[in-house]
Amino acid sequence: MLLQTKKLCKQFGGIYALKDIDFEIMEGETLGLVGENGAGKSTLIKILTGVYSLDSGGILWDGKAAEIHNPCQSRDLGINVIHQDRNLIPAFSGIENIYLGLEYEKKAGIAVNWAKMKQRVEEVMTDLGVSIDLELPAALLTPPQKTMIEIVRAMMTQCKLLILDEPTASLTDRESEMLFEIIGKLKKKGTSILYVTHRMDEIFRLTDRITVFKNGQLVNTVETAEVNKEKIISMMTDNWVSEKLKTAGEFGEVLLNVEHLASKDNIVKDASFTVHAGEILGIFGLGGSGRTELLECVYGYRPVAGGKITLEGAPIGKPSPANSLRKGMVLICEDRRGKALVGSLNVKQNIVLSTIDRYAHFGVVDEKKEISDAEGQIDKLNIKTEGPKQPVLQLSGGNQQKVVFAKALMSNPKVLLCDEPSQAVDVKTRQEIHKLLRRKAEEGNAVVFVSSDLKEVLEVVDHVLIMANGKTREFFVNDGLTAEQVLAGCYAD
Ligand SMILES: Nc1ncnc2c1ncn2[C@@H]1O[C@H](COP(=O)(O)OP(=O)(O)OP(=O)(O)O)[C@@H](O)[C@H]1O
């Protein structure tokens, strides 16, 4: 046994985030950890990596009692983690990021020996079969390259347990495959892996055993080969029934029309599409295709160089977020921490952020109304929180994502631009989000849906528009459409 916890407990504000957890991970095994949003998975990871201290209980490492009071102690044991929200310093190069927290190699005891450091990193990269330009700042790396940098960083020291927390959240299928190959290599080397995700397919593909958390408690640990997806979901969730969404047949007037849009940075080169009332349009492309950037241009985050956007028949001159919001278009964006939430504010303040002028009368904010509206959204979206005044960053990742959604819904948008709206949310919430988007469409609104998960796109949308290399391409009606057809469209020249 590599790691064992005994009756581990952690409370926040008197509420158990983890209660009496007896958790185990064997040497060389890949263990999946699953549970609904807020079940306690990240809290366990934070305790194992020395970010949080435990309230009671103990940890055994290699059979001996271990003290983990800070991240260094955890790393010294051989525990490394790759987080959902990748932890790289954007302005630092690959090599600087990899050496974060490690001692720099020195020349003659004083000058930094960059050549030797690079050589060490390259040895690890060769071993893992990855290749990345180490001189580039992290800000310019793609999501999978950032993940690779983190894995290389983990492997620079002796890593006995690698924890991967939602590692494929913003990776395309192809990029995920690259990651799975690396996981396979690590497994062969005997590294234990704790794999945390809401994506059931990955859990079943990669793991030897699965541990299920529910409401801060460990429900069970089972052999992956002996269970199926339904069984696992029923252990995690009360009364969950998988429902197939119906796509719409008929659409109303054009709500959003985009013609030959190009971004100033030339990532979006030539994009055109139309969305009608009642329609969910999926835009699918491989990593780097420009799908996120396209939504950002339409919404007004990213400067445009040319093209035309028409919303409900009226041209939008220069797109800006304020203008889009005023005219009934919202963006639910991929970058939860960076763009969608204000970390220093509480749940309520975030929910009402873009509709704040509704609550101000002659300079006085009607806080009661703010709270009751925020509570309405908390209820509707089943956001797990102590209440509207809880700091938003104290919520679990999936519940933060629901706050992003709540904020968008507050403005009663006619057009919803959604970029990875269900990332990091659990199976049940994911279905709720899909149903909600369909309901919004049925009420006469238009939805643009971007996800790196092609299966999800095919489950949700009426039409699929392919995007590659900054340009929109083939358009498909989602009627018997297969993943192969869509992918063929992505790779075609
Ligand atoms: N610093 C904190 N202060 C207060 N409450 C917290 C804090 N960190 C976590 N919690 C609470 O502990 C509970 C468990 O959260 P945790 O982040 O561990 O869930 P999770 O299983 O990782 O969820 P997700 O799948 O959404 O990431 C949640 O109710 C969360 O709000």
Side-chain angles (χ1 to χ4, degrees), residues 221-430:
T221 298
V222 289
E223 298 283 333
T224 308
E226 288 171 9
V227 284
N228 59 20
K229 182 175 153 189
E230 281 66 38
K231 177 97 183 105
I232 291 294
I233 295 176
S234 73
M235 284 188 222
M236 291 166 38
T237 307
D238 296 318
N239 311 322
W240 186 79
V241 191
S242 165
E243 286 174 47
K244 185 130 182 56
L245 277 182
K246 274 205 299 286
T247 48
E250 289 174 15
F251 309 107
E253 78 275 28
V254 172
L255 289 186
L256 173 67
N257 188 49
V258 172
E259 286 172 51
H260 303 296
L261 199 67
S263 61
K264 270 204 177 134
D265 55 17
N266 204 32
I267 296 179
V268 179
K269 297 188 175 74
D270 183 4
S272 303
F273 65 89
T274 303
V275 213
H276 302 79
E279 176 184 357
I280 305 184
L281 170 72
I283 299 183
F284 185 78
L286 305 173
S289 61
R291 46 202 178 144
T292 292
E293 292 80 2
L294 171 59
L295 295 194
E296 288 179 352
C297 283
V298 174
Y299 186 64
Y301 261 147
R302 188 172 288 264
V304 297
K308 193 171 154 199
I309 304 170
T310 316
L311 194 60
E312 290 196 85
I316 293 191
K318 192 167 175 259
S320 74
N323 201 6
S324 298
L325 266 179
R326 220 174 13 251
K327 295 193 165 146
M329 179 159 68
V330 291
L331 172 67
I332 292 161
C333 63
E334 179 185 28
D335 182 7
R336 186 168 64 232
R337 292 266 174 101
K339 294 188 186 131
L341 292 178
V342 181
S344 53
L345 298 182
N346 65 30
V347 172
K348 176 220 47 168
Q349 289 163 324
N350 270 286
I351 292 179
V352 302
L353 197 59
S354 46
T355 43
I356 190 79
D357 40 353
R358 260 195 227 164
Y359 301 93
H361 305 291
F362 305 108
V364 181
V365 174
D366 184 350
E367 203 191 359
K368 261 199 188 144
K369 174 96 178 90
E370 278 187 337
I371 290 183
S372 79
D373 284 3
E375 277 173 345
Q377 293 290 347
I378 290 170
D379 244 27
K380 203 149 81 187
L381 292 172
N382 199 12
I383 300 174
K384 194 172 176 206
T385 171
E386 284 164 20
K389 294 203 172 167
Q390 185 173 16
V392 74
L393 291 186
Q394 288 185 359
L395 264 54
S396 77
N399 283 292
Q400 288 178 21
Q401 182 66 11
K402 294 190 206 176
V403 172
V404 174
F405 236 91
K407 180 176 84 171
L409 295 180
M410 286 295 285
S411 61
N412 285 327
K414 282 299 280 181
V415 176
L416 288 100
L417 307 172
C418 306
D419 190 8
E420 308 278 353
S422 59
Q423 65 167 316
V425 301
D426 61 47
V427 191
K428 191 168 150 195
T429 310
R430 190 173 136 117

Side-chain angles (χ1 to χ4, degrees), residues 4 30 47 85 122 148 182 202 290 295 411 425 466 472 478 488:
Q4 239 180 324
T30 301
I47 288 177
D85 306 297
E122 277 169 352
M148 301 304 165
I182 293 181
E202 293 174 12
L295 295 194
S411 61
V425 301
I466 303 289
T472 47
N478 186 16

Side-chain angles (χ1 to χ4, degrees), residues 205-223:
R205 174 169 169 181
L206 298 172
T207 67
D208 303 306
R209 295 191 306 154
I210 305 169
T211 291
V212 181
F213 274 15
K214 184 170 159 185
N215 291 331
Q217 287 183 291
L218 193 155
V219 179
N220 205 350
T221 298
V222 289
E223 298 283 333

Side-chain angles (χ1 to χ4, degrees), residues 107-126:
K107 255 193 269 191
I110 32 169
V112 176
N113 191 342
W114 290 105
K116 184 146 183 229
M117 284 160 60
K118 194 164 177 209
Q119 189 195 341
R120 266 200 67 201
V121 171
E122 277 169 352
E123 278 166 17
V124 175
M125 292 208 308
T126 311

